[in-house]
Each structure stands twice: as C-alpha cells, then as structure tokens.
Amino acid sequence: MEALIPVINKLQDVFNTVGADIIQLPQIAVVGTQSSGKSSVLESLVGRDLLPRGTGVVTRRPLILQLVHVDPGDARKNDDSGRDGEEWGKFLHTKNTIYTDFDEIRQEIENETERVSGNNKGISDEPIHLKIFSPHVVNLTLVDLPGITKVPVGDQPKDIEVQIRDLILKHISNPNSIILAVTAANTDMATSEALKVAREVDPDGRRTLAVVTKLDLMDAGTDAMDVLMGRVIPVKLGLIGVVNRSQLDINNKKSVADAIRDEYAFLQKKYPSLANRNGTKYLARTLNRLLMHHIRDCLPELKARINVLAAQYQSLLSSYGEPVGDQSATLLQLITKFATEYCNTIEGTAKYIETAELCGGARICYIFHETFGRTLESVDPLGGLSTIDILTAIRNATGPRPSLFVPEVSFELLVKKQVKRLEEPSLRCVELVHEEMQRIIQHCSNYSTQELQRFPKLHEAIVEVVTSLLRKRLPITNEMVHNLVAIELAYINTKHPDFADACGVMNNNIEEQRRNRMRELPAGVPRDKAPAAGPQGEQDGTGSWRGMLKKGEDAPGSGPGSPLKGAVNLLDVPVPVARKLSSREQRDCEVIERLIKSYFLIVRKNIQDSVPKAVMHFLVNHVKDSLQSELVGQLYKSGLLNDLLTESEDMAQRRKEAADMLQALQRASQVIAEIRETHLW
C-alpha cells in the first residue's frame, strides 16, 4: 500500500514531461486564509525551511510539492550525482538541476513566481513543480495554494479576492483531491473561510481534513478542546491540532526539528489526552494514510480515464498522418480519397453522415422534388392573363375580318407566353444544385478527408479544380434547360393525346350548353333568330363595329349636313374599357382559358420531369464521372509535388505534441498495470 504514493508521483512525472494536466491525479490541496499558518504546516511536514515568507500574498502561484521518502542508504549510494547530503530538491522548470541548499530552493520559488506573476502581488494559475527527496519525510503530494484574502493591498488587482477564490476552487474541485483546510485556533471556527470554501465542493466532507494551527496563541483561560474533539465543527476525516513556529522563532533560526519537539511537549502539557492524535508527526502519518486509501479508490477510474484519452489521442495522431515519404503516392492517394468521398456524399454512402441538415445527394433530391416541384406547381396556368388580354389576342388574330370561330393563332400566342414562365424556376433549379455541389466540397474537406488539413495548398488546389469543373458545366446545363423550354415553345402539339382528350371533353360541354340554351327559347322564336352570338354580333350592336360609336350618334354619313357630322375619328386606337362581355366573347374567352390551362399542365409535367434529368446528366453525373481524372490531370504533376504537399506550419508541432501525449498516456497505463501485477490494489 505504501508504494501507491510513489506510483502517483511517477504518473505526475510522466505527465509533467508533456506539460499537461488532462489527468486529475490524487493529491492534497492546502487551503487557508493569509497568515493562517499554511506555510508553517508544509514546512513542518518537509522538516526544512523552504517556502517564501512575508506580508500579504506570498504564495502567488500553486506549488505542487512532492515529498519522496528515500532510505539513508540509497541517498549515500547516489553521492556521485553532485549532491552534498541526504536531502535535496528538484524543480521541473530547471530540469536536472539539483538543489541541496534549501535557501536556494526558497529563492528559486520567489524568482519563478515573479517571472510569471510579476512583482505586483498578482497571481497566476501556472503551477511550480518541486520534488523533495529526504529520509525524514513520508510520501505525499501537496498543493500549496494562495491564501484567501478579502481586500487588495498595494497595487494588487481589485478583483484579487475573486482570482484567488477561482484558483482555489479549480484545484479543490478535483474529485481526486483531499482538501486540507487550515484554520488558526485563535479565530472562530464557525467563520472559517477554509472550511466554508471546502464545503462548496465537498458538502459531505468525505475528502476534507481540518488542521487547527497556533494552539499556543489562544487567549489565556481558553483552549481548543471542543474544537479538537469535533464538537464545534464536525469534520468526517477529522481535526488535527498543530503548533507552528512563531515569527521570532523563524528570525532566530529555530529549526523545524526543535519546533516539533517543543510542539510535542506543549501538547503533552496542555492536551495530554489528545496528544497522541495531534501534532505534526501525527498529521504527516494521517495524510499519508488518507492519500494512500484515496489513491487506491481512485485508481480504477484513473485507469479508465487514461485508456479513453489514449484512444482519443491515437485517433487524433492518425488524423494528422505520418510524415510524407513517397510524395507521388501520397498525392494520388489524397486525390483519390477526396474524389471517392465527394461521389459517396452525392450517393449517400459517405462515412460521415450529416445529421443536422440535408446535404449531398439528399439535398439535391429535395431541390428536385420539393423546391423545384412545388415552385412549378405554384405557377398559375393563367397567371398574368386577364380576360381583356385574351379577348384582345383573339381580335388581333382575326385581322380585318370578323371570325366565325376562335382563331388558333391566339391560343398559340397566349400559351407560349405562359409556358415561357417555366424557364426562370427551371434555371433557378440548376443554380441551387450547383450551389449544393459547391457545398459538398467543404463538407468533404471538413469531415471526410481531414488529411487535407495537413496540406493547405493541396486543399486550395483541389477546391479550385472542382470549382472550375462545376463552373464549366454550369452554362452547358443552363443551355440544355433553356432548350427544354424552347423545345416546348417551338411546336405547340395540339394533337397531344392528353390535350386531344381535354379538347373533346370541352367541345362536348360547349355543345351541351348550346343545346340547353336552345331548349330555353320561347316557342314562337325561330331557331335561326336565336340571340346567339354570331358574325353580326348582338342585337344592340355592342359586338359589332357599331359598338364603337358613341351612344346617340349615327353612323358616318347617315345624317343630314356635313358628312363628318357625328363621325368617330378612325385614326384613334380604341382603348379597352371595362364592360360586360357578350355571350360569344365570354364563350371564346372560356375556350381559350381551358385550352391554355390544359396544354400548360401538360408542358409543366414535361418540364418537371425533364429538368432534373438534364441537371443530373449534364452537371451531377458528369462531375462525378470526370472528377478524379480532372484532379489527376490538373494536380498530379512532378513540378507541383513539393508545393502541394507542404504541411501547414503548426501541423508538425501538433503531431509531435499528440505523439508525446500518447506516449505519456501509454507509459501511465503501464505504470498502473504494474500496480495490478504487484497486487497493490
């Protein structure tokens, strides 16, 4: 069991080599207010003076202090390392430099603190790693955190309280940490800031141990018996009282060993019944025991976390790819993979399927059958045509002679105008599909072929080639779609089976209406005198040229006097005015409207079917079939290899970091496997 803490120290060393804190290792976080005696407690555990002292915020960066127990015999064996004595220290940031003078260690802590945090009493969350080797310590890993403060002093930041609080919470929120809450005995335990902040992250107190310092500085006539017995503030892991060195003792160079002897004497005298459960030595043993049990409980979850991270970094490293060896093979492989993924995205067989929105072939299908189809169906066959427009077209088609029947030319003229309206949505359909083909390029770059991120110039070149290919196919596809509409306009097939059937039904309806009107005539009215619209128009003349005369005026030359009296200026073009149509005009308009609607629906059906086919053939399928050959022809050239396969500036660095982290995780996994083999948990 004792070997568990060195294992954690070994894991800490492994992750320190890569400068990462992605794994939350078991450790003891020391929390307390300024001048509560935190530094003295730590120095008592180490047995040496090594921490900076002063007024205000002295600890301004987290100090991760690893205590490593070494046997005196082992220490003497390694004297050739340059050490002088049996205790020494090493900083992570100074690499292999060994410090045997603890005053130098203190000075290095101060220098490193000012290097990062500055000299204005500001703080930093970048930790200092210090490892102490000594035969007089127990194996522990402690984190000394800045003391809790309320009021900024001097040129400290105004939010220094918030900064320190956030830094403390960051470390004690680690569920694998034990919280060592330090409180002075000459203050009210009920107002302990250390216990208060500890309870925020550990409300049940399962990983909190309280340390009561300065037992010798309590007011005369008072003692800490109730506090040490847990009657004031119960803490599940317990409360341990210690006696620190005073500032006078420190100034007089009183050693830690002497202070511990005096502490033992004080406890025996003042708290004899509790002396064996308090004091620095008991605190060290308790922390060692708690940390070992805590490590044992955390190791299974720690092992699972390391395995998950190892798999993630293995995948990340694979995505970065290996350094390029054979440039020609690499380039051809990347081109082929991109072309394959592009085509698979269209076909719906891509490895990475988008779940947030439609893309690729599914979106093209949506454009064809939803966007384009619904747009065509929303086009009104008679949209933009008024009854006057139809009547005007009929009259214009008859020329100077009145017609006996509805002229076919007027139908063709009007139906072509309506069919022409189908061209704009058809071209818009081509544009939408072209845009989606462009979006597929980005989709493949982001999700399918991450290797392209390694080679930004190759990525740009591929995008340019595919974009150019799509750009070349766009006018060809537009021309074909334009021709589809032009074909429909070129020949109005009135013998189309569907159109002939519609005309037959319409003629039957018209004939039925004529017979019904004939039946409704009075018996004395001859059939040939029926008030049906004919070449001569209605009886009131509104359907003939006489309807052009003003009411109450005679025809030209019909009255006495000047031959121009009452005449209409025939050079004026009559302007259509809103009026009631004659029955023949209504019938003619209805006939044309029905014919236009019937034929328009036939053409719309043809366009709705043929445009998607044309787009697929001339744009989508052509790009799919020629994409790889186009990429190879444009990019697979010996003169371009070096330029195209130049990696991005940070890719090599990212690959190295990922490889180092993966190696560290694999070493950590081996360390934990060794623990299982030796039955340490």
Side-chain angles (χ1 to χ4, degrees), residues 225-507:
M225 185 65 72
D226 289 342
V227 172
L228 297 177
M229 294 291 291
R231 297 168 184 164
V232 178
I233 301 291
V235 180
K236 287 189 177 181
L237 295 185
L239 294 96
I240 299 176
V242 296
V243 177
N244 300 332
R245 290 180 298 168
S246 66
Q247 188 61 46
L248 179 61
D249 293 336
I250 296 172
N251 295 339
N252 294 334
K253 304 296 183 181
K254 184 178 182 179
S255 68
V256 175
D258 291 340
I260 291 176
R261 283 194 295 269
D262 291 345
E263 175 192 53
Y264 179 74
F266 174 82
L267 292 174
Q268 288 289 347
K269 177 181 179 181
K270 188 71 174 178
Y271 304 98
S273 62
L274 301 177
N276 62 339
R277 286 183 290 158
N278 290 276
T280 300
K281 289 187 176 181
Y282 180 77
L283 174 63
R285 293 195 301 270
T286 301
L287 289 175
N288 179 263
R289 174 178 55 82
L290 290 175
L291 187 58
M292 284 191 298
H293 286 283
H294 195 62
I295 291 172
R296 182 192 61 187
D297 296 338
C298 294
L299 274 179
E301 182 182 349
L302 191 63
K303 181 177 184 298
R305 172 67 174 161
I306 289 175
N307 291 338
V308 169
L309 286 173
Q312 292 176 351
Y313 274 91
Q314 181 65 63
S315 176
L316 181 63
L317 186 61
S318 299
S319 69
Y320 292 154
E322 297 295 330
V324 178
D326 187 343
Q327 290 185 330
S328 298
T330 301
L331 178 60
L332 189 59
Q333 179 185 3
L334 291 174
I335 288 176
T336 302
K337 186 170 184 179
F338 179 87
T340 302
E341 290 295 336
Y342 190 92
C343 296
N344 289 345
T345 302
I346 295 176
E347 295 296 332
T349 57
K351 180 179 179 181
Y352 296 91
I353 300 296
E354 182 67 56
T355 58
E357 61 177 355
L358 293 177
C359 72
R363 192 175 185 87
I364 292 175
C365 178
Y366 183 86
I367 292 170
F368 285 156
H369 302 293
E370 297 294 331
T371 306
F372 177 61
R374 290 184 178 180
T375 300
L376 288 189
E377 291 173 0
S378 67
V379 178
D380 184 4
L382 301 175
L385 282 183
S386 65
T387 304
I388 296 299
D389 294 335
I390 298 175
L391 188 58
T392 301
I394 294 174
R395 288 183 173 180
N396 287 337
T398 60
R401 296 174 298 279
S403 63
L404 296 174
F405 306 101
V406 177
E408 188 173 338
V409 176
S410 61
F411 161 70
E412 290 196 8
L413 175 67
L414 293 171
V415 81
K416 286 182 178 180
K417 178 180 178 182
Q418 297 306 99
V419 169
K420 183 69 175 176
R421 297 168 60 209
L422 298 176
E423 182 174 10
E424 182 180 350
S426 300
L427 294 175
R428 176 58 180 161
C429 176
V430 177
E431 183 181 350
L432 291 176
V433 174
H434 176 266
E435 291 175 358
E436 179 57 27
M437 300 283 280
Q438 285 284 148
R439 289 178 69 246
I440 296 176
I441 302 175
Q442 191 62 36
H443 174 82
C444 292
S445 300
N446 291 341
Y447 300 101
S448 304
T449 52
Q450 295 183 359
E451 294 92 335
L452 286 179
Q453 305 302 325
R454 294 175 56 193
F455 311 108
K457 291 186 177 180
L458 175 60
H459 178 249
E460 293 174 4
I462 288 178
V463 171
E464 178 59 32
V465 171
V466 182
T467 302
S468 177
L469 178 60
L470 290 171
R471 193 184 304 119
K472 286 191 295 185
R473 298 305 303 176
L474 183 59
I476 298 174
T477 309
N478 281 336
E479 182 66 20
M480 182 60 199
V481 170
H482 172 77
N483 287 337
L484 289 176
V485 179
I487 288 170
E488 296 290 347
L489 296 174
Y491 181 64
I492 304 300
N493 183 15
T494 56
K495 292 296 184 180
H496 191 285
D498 295 341
F499 186 69
D501 293 344
C503 289
V505 172
M506 184 176 62
N507 289 335

Side-chain angles (χ1 to χ4, degrees), residues 511-526:
E511 182 62 24
E512 180 66 24
Q513 291 175 7
R514 189 187 68 80
R515 286 197 296 267
N516 290 339
R517 286 198 299 270
M518 294 300 291
R519 292 192 193 100
E520 294 171 359
L521 290 175
V525 179

Side-chain angles (χ1 to χ4, degrees), residues 65-125:
L65 181 62
Q66 292 177 264
L67 305 184
V68 182
H69 176 81
V70 294
D71 293 331
D74 294 338
R76 285 192 294 271
K77 291 177 185 177
N78 295 326
D79 279 345
D80 57 352
S81 63
R83 288 182 287 100
D84 182 16
E86 58 183 7
E87 295 178 300
W88 72 96
K90 291 174 63 176
F91 287 96
L92 176 65
H93 64 272
T94 60
K95 306 301 180 184
N96 296 323
T97 303
I98 295 176
Y99 297 84
T100 56
D101 186 345
F102 281 79
D103 289 336
E104 293 182 3
I105 292 178
R106 181 191 304 110
Q107 187 61 46
E108 182 59 31
I109 293 174
E110 293 178 355
N111 295 341
E112 181 64 10
T113 298
E114 291 187 0
R115 185 184 67 82
V116 175
S117 302
N119 53 10
N120 66 339
K121 299 297 183 180
I123 66 169
S124 169
D125 61 353

Side-chain angles (χ1 to χ4, degrees), residues 53-68:
R53 291 183 175 274
T55 58
V57 180
V58 177
T59 304
R60 297 188 287 127
R61 288 177 61 184
L63 175 65
I64 298 179
L65 181 62
Q66 292 177 264
L67 305 184
V68 182

Side-chain angles (χ1 to χ4, degrees), residues 96-249:
N96 296 323
T97 303
I98 295 176
Y99 297 84
T100 56
D101 186 345
F102 281 79
D103 289 336
E104 293 182 3
I105 292 178
R106 181 191 304 110
Q107 187 61 46
E108 182 59 31
I109 293 174
E110 293 178 355
N111 295 341
E112 181 64 10
T113 298
E114 291 187 0
R115 185 184 67 82
V116 175
S117 302
N119 53 10
N120 66 339
K121 299 297 183 180
I123 66 169
S124 169
D125 61 353
E126 183 179 342
I128 299 174
H129 293 266
L130 172 62
K131 187 179 291 188
I132 300 295
F133 300 85
S134 171
H136 308 300
V137 299
V138 295
N139 292 313
L140 286 176
T141 300
L142 305 113
V143 183
D144 186 19
L145 297 169
I148 301 172
T149 184
K150 292 293 184 181
V151 180
V153 178
D155 54 356
Q156 284 182 342
K158 293 184 178 180
D159 62 340
I160 188 68
E161 177 187 1
V162 176
Q163 291 185 26
I164 293 177
R165 179 181 175 83
D166 291 343
L167 178 58
I168 292 174
L169 288 174
K170 175 183 175 181
H171 284 268
I172 66 176
S173 296
N174 172 11
N176 295 334
S177 68
I178 294 176
I179 305 171
L180 188 64
V182 179
T183 304
N186 54 0
T187 61
D188 188 352
M189 285 289 292
T191 61
S192 170
E193 289 289 337
L195 289 175
K196 177 183 177 183
V197 73
R199 285 193 174 180
E200 291 185 21
V201 296
D202 182 33
D204 297 332
R206 296 181 182 275
R207 52 187 182 91
T208 300
L209 174 67
V211 174
V212 182
T213 62
K214 304 182 180 181
L215 292 176
D216 56 333
L217 298 182
M218 297 188 68
D219 294 338
T222 63
D223 60 33
M225 185 65 72
D226 289 342
V227 172
L228 297 177
M229 294 291 291
R231 297 168 184 164
V232 178
I233 301 291
V235 180
K236 287 189 177 181
L237 295 185
L239 294 96
I240 299 176
V242 296
V243 177
N244 300 332
R245 290 180 298 168
S246 66
Q247 188 61 46
L248 179 61
D249 293 336

